[in-house]
Amino acid sequence: MRFHHLDLNLLVALDVLLEEQNITRAAERLHMTQSATSGVLGRLRTFFEDELLVQVGRKMQPTPYALELAKPVREVLLTIRSSITAKPVFDPASSKRHFRLITSDYLISVLFAQVIQRIHQEAPHITFEMLSPGDNSAELLMRGEIDLMIVPERYIIEGHPAQLLFEEEHVCVVWRDNALVGDSLTLEQYMQMGHISVGFGRNRHLSIEDWFMSQYGFNRRLEVITNDFNTLPQLLVGTQRVATMHRRLAELYAQYLPLRMLPPPVQIPVMREYMLWHRSMDGDPMHRWLRERISAFIQRLDRPAEAAEPAAAMA
């Protein structure tokens, strides 16, 4: 297909070239030879009357004009994918859709392990890929390379839809036989104790450390930093340390490990978990169905036990 003398297939190549900034890697993704990919770049340069990518040392660097093109090109391709090439038939029972989600291991444990079981009952051929949060999570969503991202409110991306899923509290958790801690914690005790925390990404974003710094002007005494939430309770057993955890995850592990939950010595703001998706997917029937199922399951979990629907049902 051509538009104003531009072969629209070249936009796919341009999108990959701007992302990879490397002829060899772009060729691999496009399933083309390096010489053919270089030829495509030449055609793009001729059409746009710009070098687009220039060699700087061993790397290729996008020109200012190429950087301006990157976002609209990606938006066009996403619109084509979601609106033009998408099948109009909506049938979860026969769908073989593959969904890519960014979510923490905490949410997989307390939510998605059960959500996927429920969804399999209605849509047995749907598959999932769960990706850990990272420094490039927002970029992946904005490029349309993931279907959903479930993150705290501060990570909402302007210009893309977001829906509040639930609110979460934090609790302090210690080993059940920790003789240094009674039924409550003072702030002084809390700050003197060794802490276990979670850090994500190259910059080691800590789960609640930023809030403590802004509120009190000092750091907790971090003795252990792990890279996922599920190891927090396991690392507490047999120690005198404390971890500040999501209540749902703490309650889950307290069923299996010798742990005690205590209220924090200070009021920690409620964490609001949001579901985010690229705006081009807003009207996609299967995508909307998945969002509704996730939201319905959360609502059922948050109802009082006596008002909840039978476990086998899903609203």
Side-chain angles (χ1 to χ4, degrees), residues 54-66:
V54 294
Q55 198 74 35
V56 179
R58 295 184 178 181
K59 298 179 63 177
M60 299 193 79
Q61 184 171 313
T63 65
Y65 183 50

Side-chain angles (χ1 to χ4, degrees), residues 134-135 154-155 198-207 209-210:
D135 296 326
R154 65 181 180 273
Y155 295 112
V198 180
F200 294 106
R202 291 189 302 271
N203 298 322
R204 308 302 294 169
H205 300 295
L206 296 169
S207 54
E209 191 71 7
D210 291 342

Side-chain angles (χ1 to χ4, degrees), residues 64-82:
Y65 183 50
L67 293 175
E68 291 181 13
L69 286 173
K71 184 175 180 180
V73 165
R74 167 56 55 154
E75 294 288 338
V76 166
L77 294 176
L78 287 173
T79 300
I80 291 173
R81 186 183 75 179
S82 63

Side-chain angles (χ1 to χ4, degrees), residues 7 35 50 53 69 126-127 130 142 174-175 200 218 249 276 279:
D7 183 348
S35 59
D50 187 88
L53 289 163
L69 286 173
I126 286 179
T127 56
M130 317 299 275
M142 290 188 290
V174 297
W175 178 39
F200 294 106
F218 48 75
L249 190 64
L276 284 68
R279 57 179 172 270

Side-chain angles (χ1 to χ4, degrees), residues 234-282:
Q234 300 174 53
L235 290 168
L236 285 170
V237 176
T239 78
Q240 308 300 316
R241 299 186 176 105
V242 62
T244 306
M245 295 175 52
H246 308 99
R247 176 180 290 278
R248 284 175 172 84
L249 190 64
E251 290 174 343
L252 175 65
Y253 271 94
Q255 300 175 47
Y256 306 104
L257 296 176
L259 301 172
R260 284 191 288 143
M261 292 187 297
L262 304 169
V266 295
Q267 186 173 358
I268 299 176
V270 169
M271 185 181 71
R272 294 159 62 86
E273 288 280 357
Y274 276 78
M275 179 166 54
L276 284 68
W277 59 94
H278 194 282
R279 57 179 172 270
S280 67
M281 304 304 295
D282 205 35

Side-chain angles (χ1 to χ4, degrees), residues 172-205:
C172 292
V173 183
V174 297
W175 178 39
R176 186 173 58 201
D177 296 330
N178 187 335
L180 302 179
V181 178
D183 295 330
S184 63
L185 275 173
T186 66
L187 180 58
E188 183 180 8
Q189 277 181 305
Y190 183 78
M191 299 309 298
Q192 288 177 350
M193 293 178 71
H195 289 250
I196 304 175
S197 190
V198 180
F200 294 106
R202 291 189 302 271
N203 298 322
R204 308 302 294 169
H205 300 295

